[in-house]
Amino acid sequence: MYKKTELAPSPPSEFELPFGGRLSADNRWVRIAQIIPWDEFESEYAANFPTEKGAPAKSFRMALGALIIKEKLGLSDRETVEQIRENPYLQYFIGQSSYSNELPFDPSPAVHFRQRISPNLINKVNERMVEKMRDITPVKPEKKKDSDAKNESPNRGKLIVDATCAPADISYPTDLGLLNRARVHTEKIIDILYKQIKEKTPKKPRTYRNIAKKDYLAVAKQRRPTRNKRRQAIKKQLQYIKRNLAHIEQLIDSGATLENLNKQQYKTLLVLTEVTRQQQWLFDNNKQSIEDRIVSLSQPHIRPIVRGKAGKRVEFGAKLSASCFEGYVFLDRMSWDSFNESGDLKAQVEAYYRFTGYYPESVHADRIYRNRENRAWCKEKGIRISGPPLGRPPANVSKAKKKQALEDERIRNAIEGKFGQGKRRFGLNRVMAKLDNTSATVIAITFLVINLTTWWRRVFCVFLYLFGKRTPVFGWKIIYHYIWWNRYRKNLYLTQLSDIVSSCS
């Protein structure tokens, strides 16, 4: 059951504090809470609760606010709840009207928050939020040159597109290690099933688990085992797993049931059966790849993504296609299977048109986007696509074209910085969520938090500009001390150098 909040959000001055005083209206959490459209998407979140029975669910503002706090501060679910209880600004951010020393919710419902708030809903919140941000802190358009002013085009702005991968929290998968973990799970399932018919069949099926473990460690502990040794070890593990699966079928025929297995164990049994089939096919055909290859028993939705980057040729996680303009980044597509990102260019440009009302003046993309189809489509729309033309490079390139190519590459680096910010500052480098839908929500929340950080940095720069404009003496003091320190450091260096020369002479 869900009850919509009928009262309008209270200002920070009306937030009740037990020790007196009032919240500051310039606090970052207060300003961010004012920019997020909580009420506009509450009805879409309430659709997750069709029934009118049961305890009332937490509000949309509390659910989304907790996820934003967790991602922005880099906390766990348990630590997020504790931080909210200790900080009145965080309590105001999630929609509370007064300070409370009690936990706002148990840490376990955070998983349900990630399941109920879909990535599509977060992307809608992100787009609406960016619209409000652009109204508050607009970006000045660049001045056009005289040559460009003559050929005026209705297109405006620069769109940057690129793709990346968000690695999941799994150990680096190997065929031998994956089969060893599958074998261990089959042995646990045999133990559970045998307890049900222990009185009928006193003889327990042999699993040879100790011998199988020794065979695995004999190769796994080697620094660089040969290819033949790996194949022999994989063959043995496949034989052990097949024997165990046959024992499981025999136990079921003898009267044991799979009802005593929990949901995770039953899911793992289905997954390891498919893993065994895939690995057997790879072994028989002497191949290295197969379609829809499973690399993790606990997260079977993860696929290997071949990126070809230095140091990380293959990554294991979700592949993302994103676009960026005016410093704000948007998640356009996310898939656990690998895809060619060049096919997303048209949809990304059309999304830019729907959002702004005009097509971009130029699109800055990687080489993979610059195919004939995308070039012809951009030319039809009057959009200039970055990069050299297709075909043999010309013998002589003018300085203007070289300067334009350098400028295009400089502009394209902005989205690389956004990816670096998401992976270094936030949790895009290792997605800790275990389910496919919750992982997608975490990734979408990361892009939303990146935009919030960008906007708050711009607000802070505007504040510094206005402060320096009103108090110019403050700015002159900074320049004076900077010049004084450089002169002092130079004189100190010359003095030390003269001492060294005099001591040597």
Side-chain angles (χ1 to χ4, degrees), residues 258-476:
L258 299 176
E259 295 178 356
N260 286 352
L261 300 179
N262 57 36
K263 186 178 180 180
Q264 183 63 32
Q265 291 171 341
Y266 182 72
K267 178 183 176 181
T268 306
L269 177 60
L270 299 178
V271 172
L272 67 87
T273 304
E274 176 63 18
V275 168
T276 305
R277 185 196 67 81
Q278 291 183 357
Q279 293 295 328
Q280 186 65 52
W281 186 89
L282 292 173
F283 181 83
D284 295 339
N285 295 275
N286 198 14
K287 299 289 185 179
Q288 299 296 326
S289 62
I290 188 174
E291 189 177 358
D292 294 331
R293 185 172 188 171
I294 298 176
V295 295
S296 174
L297 296 180
S298 59
Q299 302 184 55
H301 55 274
I302 298 175
R303 299 287 179 266
I305 306 295
V306 180
R307 298 289 295 157
K309 300 292 184 180
K312 286 186 179 181
R313 183 176 177 272
V314 182
E315 294 181 288
F316 305 93
K319 188 172 182 179
L320 316 175
S321 180
S323 59
C324 176
F325 66 91
E326 296 184 4
Y328 299 111
V329 63
F330 300 89
L331 178 62
D332 299 318
R333 182 181 179 186
M334 192 201 74
S335 175
W336 297 103
D337 296 318
S338 184
F339 60 88
N340 191 333
E341 55 266 30
S342 64
D344 298 336
L345 180 64
K346 297 179 183 179
Q348 289 171 325
V349 173
E350 292 294 344
Y352 178 92
Y353 176 78
R354 289 192 301 270
F355 188 80
T356 60
Y358 45 82
Y359 286 106
E361 180 184 358
S362 60
V363 173
H364 303 264
D366 207 350
R367 181 182 299 176
I368 193 172
Y369 290 89
R370 306 167 191 163
N371 53 36
R372 295 184 183 275
E373 182 181 356
N374 288 339
R375 285 177 178 272
W377 188 83
C378 289
K379 186 177 181 181
E380 180 184 351
K381 301 292 183 181
I383 303 171
R384 183 182 66 85
I385 190 168
S386 65
L390 297 178
R392 181 178 297 179
N396 299 320
V397 182
S398 63
K399 292 184 178 180
K401 289 186 177 180
K402 288 183 178 180
K403 185 177 179 181
Q404 182 67 57
L406 186 63
E407 181 69 13
D408 290 342
E409 199 63 26
R410 181 187 67 82
I411 295 173
R412 198 189 70 83
N413 286 338
I415 196 169
E416 299 290 350
K418 294 296 179 180
F419 290 155
Q421 182 184 8
K423 292 185 177 183
R424 287 178 172 269
R425 173 62 182 85
F426 304 111
L428 206 60
N429 193 36
R430 176 174 290 183
V431 181
M432 302 300 294
K434 303 302 179 184
L435 302 177
D436 54 348
N437 55 350
T438 57
S439 299
T441 300
V442 169
I443 293 171
I445 282 287
T446 303
F447 281 85
L448 186 145
V449 172
I450 290 175
N451 289 336
L452 285 174
T453 306
T454 301
W455 176 76
W456 180 246
R457 184 172 63 248
R458 290 180 177 178
V459 171
F460 186 70
C461 290
V462 170
F463 166 76
L464 288 181
Y465 170 76
L466 296 176
F467 181 76
K469 190 175 181 180
R470 293 180 180 178
T471 55
V473 179
F474 179 73
W476 283 112

